[in-house]
Amino acid sequence: MKRIFAAALCLAGCQAEPRSVSYFEAHPEDAQRVVTACKDGTHRGGECESARAGLAAIEADKRLKLFKKSFE
């Protein structure tokens, strides 16, 4: 019984690392889902800020490409 309890405590304390900004830059659909979930309170933690930053980086890249295209 003690082993089961110890294993349950270990598993409860072992959470996956939050996904990085670069992950969310490469997966905008996931980023949008996480941001939406963060806004409605169903998702919390470090991934909220990483997802927001990933979407911001995607938008900045789009604006930069548009800016560069205007000089062609």
Side-chain angles (χ1 to χ4, degrees):
M1 186 67 171
K2 288 182 182 181
R3 288 184 187 176
I4 294 172
F5 181 71
L9 281 177
C10 181
L11 289 175
C14 302
Q15 296 180 359
E17 286 287 317
R19 292 172 282 188
S20 66
V21 174
S22 60
Y23 171 84
F24 287 117
E25 284 182 64
H27 301 90
E29 303 84 20
D30 287 346
Q32 190 59 54
R33 272 192 294 266
V34 170
V35 168
T36 301
C38 291
K39 285 180 183 177
D40 68 20
T42 58
H43 193 89
R44 295 186 209 158
E47 283 193 347
C48 291
E49 187 57 37
S50 294
R52 281 191 214 68
L55 287 177
I58 290 168
E59 289 302 314
D61 189 48
K62 285 180 187 178
R63 286 191 306 272
L64 181 61
K65 286 179 181 176
L66 184 61
F67 176 74
K68 286 181 178 181
K69 189 175 182 178
S70 69
F71 289 101
E72 291 177 354

